[in-house]
Every structure is written in C-alpha cells, then in structure tokens.
Amino acid sequence: MLAIQFDRFGGPEVLRPVELPTPVAGPGEVLLTVEAAGVNFADTHQVDGSYLGADALPYVPGSEVVGRTPDGRRVLARVSHGYAEQVTAKESAVLDIPEEFGAAEALALMVQGLTAWHLLRSAARLRTGESVVVHSAAGGVGSLAVQLAREFGAGRVLAQVSAPAKERLVLDLGADAVVGYPLAEKADVVLDAVGGELFDQALGSLASFGRLVSYGNSARQGFTPVDPALLSRLNASVVGFWLRPTLALPGAVSGPLKELFTLVSEGRLRPVTGSSYPLADARRAHEDLLARRTTGKVILTT
C-alpha cells in the first residue's frame, strides 16, 4: 500500500511516498481503507522532531482519517499513522458518519473541532458576554473557534488573520471585526497558536482577569518567558493547552464531538474546507500549511 513516511527530522522535504505492507488489526482494532486523511499543524511538529524522538523513525504521520471498515461502514477515526491507504484504529476511536457528510467536513471536527471546543470550554472557560480574540482565525481551528465563540455566548468575537485575503472569510463566519495589535479594546480571552511577538502583544492586551490560551507556536520563535510579576500587574493569566492528553480525559471526546456534529447538521456551524491534495503530495500540503497559504481544513485523498 502507498504511505507517506519520513526517516529523518526536517521540513516538508523529508516526507516521501513509500510502499508498505498492509497493517494487521489486533484485538479491539479494525482495519480501515482510507478515503481521506486530515492534515494538522501538529503533523509538522512530528516531522521536525518537536513531538518525536529519533527512536520512533521511520514514521508515518497523521492522526485522523475518514475510511471504511471491512463490512462497509463509513467512519471517522482517530489513528496513529493516517497518511496511508490503509490504517488500523481502535474500535473505541471510530465514529460512524453519514454517506452525505463530506470527508473534509468530518475531519475538520476531529482534531481541530475538538481543539476549538476545548479551548473555549475547558481552557478559557468562556463566560457569557466576554470578548474573544482568535489568532489565525481563517485556519482550521480558528475558523471553528470564531463560530463556536459566538455559539457559546461571547459578546464580541474579534479575528486576527495573516493576510488581507482572509478577512472576508472570518467576517462571513461571524467575527465582529478583523483586528491587529494594539487592540482598541481589552480582551477577556485570546486564543493563540502563533507565539512569538504575537503572544507578547496579546498578553499586554488582556482585560482584568483575562485569559491568554496558548496552544501552539507556529512562529517557531521559541517560547516566550512569562514573568509572574507581570501577570500580577495585569491581573491576568496564561493557560496552556494540548489536545493529546485532553483526549484521555473522561467525556472529552464523545460529548463534544456529538455536539459539534449536531451544530453542523442544524446549520449553526460551518467547517471551512481548504485544499485537497493527493496522498503522494503530502510534502506540498505541508509546505502550503507552513507558508500560511491554506484556509480551513486541509486533507490528503487516496
């Protein structure tokens, strides 16, 4: 079967198509024939070595797929090596989805949808009427967070984007305005996956008892030291969030995922679908993602 593998850490150039044996499902697992695999920013960290040790190489990245079981069920699944034509998944990590549900839409609700949900509910603990600033608002997580913030009762939803061409999209999704720093008004909640200079600007823009939720470092500028004395003077907090350990908590997946699918079916949440690449073009998908040339959910199709 065709798969995408890397045997050394680096940028997108280390990703290469290879032929691998079909995996064998173990106890409590099911073999899936992949229709599409989701591409997430976390995958680029696997490739550059931020998430993995050298003892894991060679490695097939990818954490989510839409595929079919041997008995024909169409499912959304969390997996460990999704950039492949066939994968195994734990039965407990498989969710049946309707035939009419697009693969990109379904995949958008797994890693990125759950991230957006938990950023607002679990990490920021958003309260009704609070203002929310979403960085990278046209991306996979950001585009969902803009909509969910409104759905969860935010008073103002403000969007930060990396290019003027993305402004219309986030306004159509429900953002009240597109903003840059310094903000015209203090923010109760800021969701940041960029880090670097943007993190520093956001921290200084928090309202009293505001929360800056950091869930990534796409700027690749290293982590900014946070002075506790500064937090005291700001009367604010910095909250870290990582989806992987969150998924192991009771009720962290099924309940939120069910709510997300319900919101989509009711027309109250619109997953933004981005570019689709053939599986063999995974390198190009990563290049475009890192260069911020993409919007919404990026997928690889078999």
Coordinates of all heavy atoms in Angstrom, one line a residue, residues 59-125:
Y59 N 8.8 6.9 10.4 CA 7.5 7.2 10.9 C 6.5 7.7 9.8 O 6.9 8.4 8.9 CB 7.6 8.3 12.0 CG 6.4 8.4 12.9 CD1 6.3 7.6 14.0 CD2 5.4 9.4 12.6 CE1 5.2 7.7 14.8 CE2 4.3 9.5 13.5 CZ 4.2 8.6 14.6 OH 3.1 8.7 15.4
V60 N 5.3 7.2 10.0 CA 4.2 7.6 9.1 C 3.3 8.6 10.0 O 2.7 8.1 10.9 CB 3.3 6.4 8.6 CG1 2.1 6.9 7.8 CG2 4.2 5.5 7.8
P61 N 3.2 9.8 9.6 CA 2.4 10.8 10.4 C 0.9 10.7 10.1 O 0.5 9.9 9.3 CB 3.0 12.1 10.0 CG 3.4 11.9 8.6 CD 3.9 10.5 8.5
G62 N 0.1 11.5 10.8 CA -1.3 11.5 10.6 C -2.1 10.9 11.7 O -1.9 9.8 12.2
S63 N -3.1 11.7 12.2 CA -3.8 11.3 13.4 C -5.3 11.2 13.2 O -6.0 10.9 14.2 CB -3.6 12.4 14.5 OG -4.0 13.7 14.1
E64 N -5.8 11.3 12.0 CA -7.3 11.2 11.8 C -7.5 10.8 10.3 O -6.8 11.3 9.4 CB -7.9 12.6 12.1 CG -7.3 13.7 11.3 CD -7.9 15.1 11.6 OE1 -8.7 15.2 12.6 OE2 -7.5 16.0 10.9
V65 N -8.6 10.0 10.1 CA -8.9 9.6 8.8 C -10.5 9.4 8.7 O -11.1 9.2 9.7 CB -8.3 8.3 8.4 CG1 -6.8 8.4 8.4 CG2 -8.8 7.1 9.2
V66 N -10.9 9.6 7.5 CA -12.3 9.0 7.1 C -12.0 7.8 6.3 O -11.2 7.9 5.3 CB -13.1 10.1 6.4 CG1 -14.3 9.4 5.7 CG2 -13.6 11.2 7.3
G67 N -12.7 6.7 6.6 CA -12.4 5.5 5.8 C -13.6 4.5 6.0 O -14.6 4.8 6.5
R68 N -13.4 3.3 5.5 CA -14.4 2.3 5.5 C -13.9 1.0 6.2 O -12.7 0.6 6.1 CB -14.9 1.9 4.1 CG -15.7 3.0 3.5 CD -16.5 2.4 2.3 NE -17.2 3.5 1.6 CZ -18.4 4.0 2.0 NH1 -19.1 3.4 3.0 NH2 -19.0 5.0 1.4
T69 N -14.7 0.4 7.0 CA -14.4 -0.8 7.7 C -14.6 -2.0 6.7 O -15.2 -1.8 5.6 CB -15.4 -1.0 8.9 OG1 -16.7 -1.1 8.4 CG2 -15.2 0.2 9.9
P70 N -14.1 -3.2 7.0 CA -14.3 -4.3 6.1 C -15.8 -4.6 5.8 O -16.1 -5.1 4.7 CB -13.6 -5.4 6.8 CG -12.6 -4.8 7.7 CD -13.2 -3.5 8.1
D71 N -16.7 -4.2 6.7 CA -18.1 -4.5 6.5 C -18.8 -3.3 5.8 O -20.1 -3.3 5.8 CB -18.8 -4.9 7.8 CG -18.7 -3.9 8.9 OD1 -18.1 -2.8 8.6 OD2 -19.2 -4.1 10.0
G72 N -18.1 -2.3 5.4 CA -18.6 -1.2 4.6 C -19.1 0.0 5.3 O -19.6 0.9 4.7
R73 N -18.9 0.0 6.7 CA -19.3 1.2 7.4 C -18.3 2.4 7.1 O -17.1 2.2 7.0 CB -19.2 1.0 8.9 CG -20.2 0.0 9.4 CD -19.8 -0.6 10.7 NE -19.3 0.4 11.7 CZ -18.4 0.1 12.6 NH1 -17.8 -1.0 12.7 NH2 -18.1 1.1 13.5
R74 N -18.9 3.6 6.9 CA -18.1 4.8 6.7 C -17.9 5.5 8.0 O -18.8 5.8 8.7 CB -18.8 5.7 5.7 CG -17.9 6.9 5.2 CD -18.6 7.6 4.1 NE -17.8 8.7 3.6 CZ -18.1 10.0 3.8 NH1 -19.1 10.4 4.5 NH2 -17.3 11.0 3.3
V75 N -16.6 5.7 8.4 CA -16.3 6.1 9.7 C -15.3 7.3 9.7 O -14.5 7.4 8.8 CB -15.8 5.0 10.6 CG1 -16.8 3.8 10.7 CG2 -14.5 4.4 10.1
L76 N -15.3 8.0 10.8 CA -14.3 9.0 11.2 C -13.5 8.4 12.3 O -14.1 7.8 13.3 CB -15.0 10.3 11.6 CG -14.1 11.4 12.2 CD1 -13.1 11.9 11.2 CD2 -14.9 12.5 12.8
A77 N -12.2 8.4 12.3 CA -11.4 7.7 13.3 C -10.2 8.4 13.7 O -9.5 9.1 12.8 CB -11.0 6.3 12.8
R78 N -9.8 8.3 15.0 CA -8.5 8.8 15.4 C -7.5 7.6 15.3 O -7.8 6.5 15.6 CB -8.6 9.2 16.9 CG -9.3 10.5 17.2 CD -9.3 10.9 18.6 NE -10.2 10.0 19.4 CZ -9.8 9.3 20.5 NH1 -8.5 9.4 20.9 NH2 -10.6 8.5 21.2
V79 N -6.4 7.9 14.7 CA -5.4 6.9 14.4 C -4.0 7.4 14.7 O -3.8 8.5 15.1 CB -5.4 6.5 12.9 CG1 -6.8 5.9 12.5 CG2 -5.2 7.7 12.0
S80 N -3.0 6.5 14.5 CA -1.6 6.9 14.8 C -0.8 7.2 13.5 O 0.2 7.9 13.6 CB -0.9 5.9 15.7 OG -1.5 5.8 16.9
H81 N -1.2 6.5 12.4 CA -0.4 6.6 11.2 C -1.3 6.8 10.0 O -1.4 5.9 9.1 CB 0.5 5.4 11.0 CG 1.3 5.1 12.3 ND1 2.4 5.8 12.6 CD2 1.2 4.1 13.2 CE1 2.9 5.3 13.8 NE2 2.2 4.3 14.1
G82 N -1.9 8.0 9.9 CA -3.0 8.2 9.0 C -2.6 8.5 7.5 O -3.5 8.3 6.7
Y83 N -1.4 8.8 7.3 CA -1.0 9.1 5.9 C -0.7 7.8 5.1 O 0.4 7.5 4.8 CB 0.2 10.0 5.8 CG 0.1 11.4 6.3 CD1 -1.0 11.9 7.0 CD2 1.1 12.4 6.1 CE1 -1.1 13.2 7.4 CE2 1.0 13.7 6.5 CZ -0.1 14.1 7.2 OH -0.2 15.4 7.6
A84 N -1.8 7.1 4.9 CA -1.6 5.8 4.3 C -2.9 5.4 3.6 O -4.0 5.9 4.0 CB -1.1 4.7 5.3
E85 N -2.9 4.4 2.7 CA -4.1 3.9 2.1 C -4.9 3.0 3.0 O -6.1 2.9 2.8 CB -3.7 3.2 0.8 CG -3.2 4.1 -0.3 CD -2.8 3.3 -1.6 OE1 -2.3 2.2 -1.5 OE2 -3.1 3.8 -2.7
Q86 N -4.2 2.4 4.0 CA -5.0 1.6 4.9 C -4.3 1.8 6.3 O -3.1 1.9 6.4 CB -4.9 0.1 4.6 CG -5.7 -0.2 3.3 CD -5.7 -1.7 3.0 OE1 -4.7 -2.3 2.6 NE2 -6.9 -2.3 3.1
V87 N -5.2 1.8 7.4 CA -4.7 2.0 8.7 C -5.5 1.1 9.7 O -6.6 0.7 9.3 CB -4.8 3.5 9.2 CG1 -4.0 4.4 8.3 CG2 -6.3 3.9 9.2
T88 N -5.0 1.0 10.9 CA -5.8 0.3 11.9 C -6.2 1.4 12.9 O -5.5 2.4 13.1 CB -5.0 -0.8 12.6 OG1 -3.8 -0.2 13.2 CG2 -4.6 -1.9 11.7
A89 N -7.3 1.2 13.6 CA -7.8 2.1 14.6 C -8.5 1.3 15.7 O -9.0 0.2 15.5 CB -8.9 3.0 14.0
K90 N -8.4 1.8 16.9 CA -9.2 1.2 18.0 C -10.7 1.3 17.7 O -11.1 2.4 17.3 CB -8.8 1.8 19.3 CG -7.3 1.6 19.7 CD -7.1 2.2 21.1 CE -5.6 2.0 21.5 NZ -5.3 2.7 22.8
E91 N -11.4 0.3 18.0 CA -12.9 0.3 17.8 C -13.5 1.5 18.6 O -14.4 2.1 18.2 CB -13.5 -1.0 18.3 CG -13.3 -2.1 17.3 CD -14.4 -2.0 16.1 OE1 -15.1 -1.0 16.0 OE2 -14.4 -3.0 15.3
S92 N -12.9 1.8 19.8 CA -13.4 2.8 20.6 C -13.1 4.2 20.1 O -13.7 5.2 20.5 CB -12.7 2.8 22.0 OG -11.3 2.8 22.0
A93 N -12.2 4.3 19.0 CA -11.9 5.6 18.4 C -12.5 5.8 17.1 O -12.1 6.6 16.3 CB -10.4 5.7 18.3
V94 N -13.6 5.0 16.8 CA -14.2 5.0 15.5 C -15.7 5.5 15.7 O -16.4 5.1 16.6 CB -14.2 3.6 14.8 CG1 -15.1 3.6 13.7 CG2 -12.8 3.2 14.5
L95 N -16.1 6.5 14.8 CA -17.4 7.0 14.8 C -18.0 6.9 13.5 O -17.5 7.4 12.5 CB -17.4 8.5 15.3 CG -18.7 9.3 15.3 CD1 -19.6 8.8 16.4 CD2 -18.4 10.8 15.4
D96 N -19.2 6.3 13.4 CA -19.9 6.2 12.1 C -20.4 7.5 11.7 O -20.9 8.3 12.5 CB -21.1 5.2 12.3 CG -20.7 3.8 12.4 OD1 -20.3 3.3 13.5 OD2 -20.7 3.1 11.4
I97 N -20.3 7.8 10.4 CA -20.7 9.1 9.8 C -21.6 8.8 8.6 O -21.4 7.8 7.9 CB -19.5 10.0 9.5 CG1 -18.6 9.4 8.4 CG2 -18.8 10.4 10.7 CD1 -17.5 10.3 7.9
P98 N -22.5 9.7 8.3 CA -23.4 9.6 7.1 C -22.6 9.6 5.8 O -21.6 10.3 5.7 CB -24.4 10.7 7.3 CG -24.3 11.2 8.7 CD -22.9 10.9 9.1
E99 N -23.2 9.0 4.8 CA -22.6 9.0 3.5 C -22.5 10.4 2.9 O -21.6 10.7 2.2 CB -23.4 8.1 2.5 CG -23.3 6.6 2.9 CD -21.9 6.0 2.6 OE1 -21.2 6.6 1.8 OE2 -21.6 5.0 3.2
E100 N -23.5 11.2 3.2 CA -23.6 12.5 2.6 C -22.7 13.5 3.3 O -22.5 14.7 2.8 CB -25.0 13.1 2.7 CG -25.6 13.3 4.0 CD -26.3 12.1 4.6 OE1 -26.1 10.9 4.1 OE2 -27.0 12.2 5.6
F101 N -22.0 13.2 4.4 CA -21.1 14.1 5.1 C -19.8 14.1 4.4 O -19.1 13.1 4.3 CB -21.0 13.6 6.6 CG -20.9 14.7 7.6 CD1 -21.9 15.1 8.4 CD2 -19.7 15.5 7.7 CE1 -21.8 16.1 9.3 CE2 -19.6 16.5 8.6 CZ -20.6 16.8 9.4
G102 N -19.4 15.3 4.0 CA -18.1 15.3 3.3 C -16.9 14.9 4.1 O -16.9 15.2 5.4
A103 N -15.9 14.3 3.5 CA -14.7 13.9 4.3 C -14.0 15.0 5.0 O -13.6 14.9 6.1 CB -13.8 13.1 3.4
A104 N -13.9 16.1 4.3 CA -13.2 17.3 4.8 C -13.9 17.9 6.0 O -13.4 18.3 7.0 CB -12.9 18.3 3.7
E105 N -15.3 18.0 5.8 CA -16.1 18.5 6.9 C -16.0 17.6 8.2 O -15.9 18.1 9.3 CB -17.5 18.6 6.5 CG -17.9 19.7 5.5 CD -17.6 19.4 4.1 OE1 -17.1 18.2 3.8 OE2 -17.9 20.2 3.2
A106 N -16.1 16.3 8.0 CA -16.0 15.4 9.1 C -14.6 15.5 9.8 O -14.5 15.5 11.0 CB -16.2 14.0 8.7
L107 N -13.5 15.5 9.0 CA -12.2 15.6 9.5 C -11.9 16.9 10.3 O -11.2 16.9 11.2 CB -11.2 15.4 8.4 CG -11.0 14.0 7.9 CD1 -10.3 13.9 6.6 CD2 -10.3 13.1 8.9
A108 N -12.6 18.0 9.8 CA -12.4 19.2 10.5 C -13.0 19.2 11.9 O -12.5 20.0 12.8 CB -13.2 20.3 9.7
L109 N -13.9 18.3 12.2 CA -14.5 18.2 13.5 C -13.7 17.4 14.5 O -13.9 17.4 15.7 CB -15.9 17.7 13.4 CG -16.9 18.6 12.6 CD1 -18.3 17.9 12.7 CD2 -16.9 20.0 13.1
M110 N -12.7 16.6 14.0 CA -12.0 15.7 14.9 C -10.9 16.5 15.6 O -11.2 17.1 16.7 CB -11.4 14.6 14.1 CG -10.6 13.6 14.9 SD -11.5 12.8 16.3 CE -12.3 11.4 15.3
V111 N -9.7 16.6 15.1 CA -8.7 17.3 15.9 C -8.9 18.8 16.0 O -8.9 19.3 17.1 CB -7.3 17.1 15.2 CG1 -6.2 18.0 15.8 CG2 -6.9 15.6 15.3
Q112 N -9.3 19.5 14.9 CA -9.5 20.9 15.0 C -10.8 21.3 15.7 O -10.8 22.3 16.5 CB -9.4 21.5 13.6 CG -7.9 21.5 13.1 CD -7.8 21.3 11.6 OE1 -8.6 20.7 11.0 NE2 -6.8 21.9 11.0
G113 N -11.8 20.6 15.4 CA -13.1 20.8 16.1 C -13.0 20.6 17.6 O -13.5 21.5 18.4
L114 N -12.4 19.5 18.0 CA -12.3 19.2 19.4 C -11.3 20.2 20.1 O -11.5 20.6 21.2 CB -11.7 17.8 19.6 CG -12.7 16.7 19.4 CD1 -12.0 15.3 19.5 CD2 -13.9 16.7 20.4
T115 N -10.3 20.7 19.4 CA -9.4 21.7 19.9 C -10.1 23.0 20.2 O -10.0 23.6 21.2 CB -8.2 21.9 18.9 OG1 -7.4 20.7 18.8 CG2 -7.3 23.1 19.4
A116 N -10.9 23.4 19.2 CA -11.6 24.7 19.3 C -12.6 24.6 20.5 O -12.8 25.5 21.3 CB -12.3 25.0 18.0
W117 N -13.3 23.5 20.6 CA -14.3 23.3 21.6 C -13.6 23.4 23.0 O -14.1 24.1 23.9 CB -15.0 21.9 21.5 CG -16.2 21.7 22.3 CD1 -17.5 21.8 21.9 CD2 -16.3 21.3 23.7 NE1 -18.4 21.6 23.0 CE2 -17.6 21.2 24.1 CE3 -15.3 21.0 24.6 CZ2 -18.0 20.8 25.3 CZ3 -15.7 20.6 25.9 CH2 -17.0 20.5 26.3
H118 N -12.5 22.6 23.2 CA -11.9 22.6 24.5 C -11.1 23.9 24.8 O -11.0 24.3 26.0 CB -10.9 21.4 24.6 CG -11.6 20.1 24.8 ND1 -12.2 19.8 26.1 CD2 -11.8 19.0 24.1 CE1 -12.7 18.6 26.0 NE2 -12.5 18.1 24.8
L119 N -10.6 24.6 23.8 CA -10.0 25.9 24.0 C -11.0 26.8 24.7 O -10.7 27.5 25.7 CB -9.6 26.5 22.7 CG -8.3 26.0 22.1 CD1 -8.1 26.6 20.7 CD2 -7.1 26.2 23.0
L120 N -12.2 26.9 24.2 CA -13.2 27.8 24.8 C -13.9 27.3 26.0 O -14.1 28.0 27.0 CB -14.3 28.0 23.7 CG -13.8 28.8 22.5 CD1 -14.8 28.7 21.3 CD2 -13.6 30.3 22.8
R121 N -14.2 26.0 26.1 CA -14.9 25.4 27.2 C -14.0 25.0 28.4 O -14.2 25.4 29.5 CB -15.7 24.2 26.8 CG -16.9 24.4 25.9 CD -18.0 25.1 26.6 NE -19.3 24.9 25.9 CZ -20.3 25.7 26.1 NH1 -20.2 26.8 26.8 NH2 -21.5 25.4 25.5
S122 N -13.0 24.3 28.1 CA -12.1 23.7 29.1 C -11.0 24.6 29.5 O -10.7 24.7 30.7 CB -11.6 22.3 28.6 OG -12.6 21.5 28.2
A123 N -10.3 25.2 28.6 CA -9.1 26.1 28.9 C -9.5 27.5 29.2 O -9.2 28.0 30.3 CB -8.2 26.0 27.7
A124 N -10.2 28.2 28.4 CA -10.6 29.6 28.6 C -11.8 29.7 29.6 O -11.9 30.7 30.2 CB -10.9 30.3 27.3
R125 N -12.6 28.7 29.6 CA -13.8 28.7 30.4 C -14.6 30.0 30.2 O -14.9 30.8 31.1 CB -13.5 28.6 31.9 CG -12.7 27.3 32.2 CD -12.5 27.0 33.7 NE -11.7 25.8 33.9 CZ -11.4 25.3 35.1 NH1 -11.8 25.9 36.2 NH2 -10.7 24.1 35.1

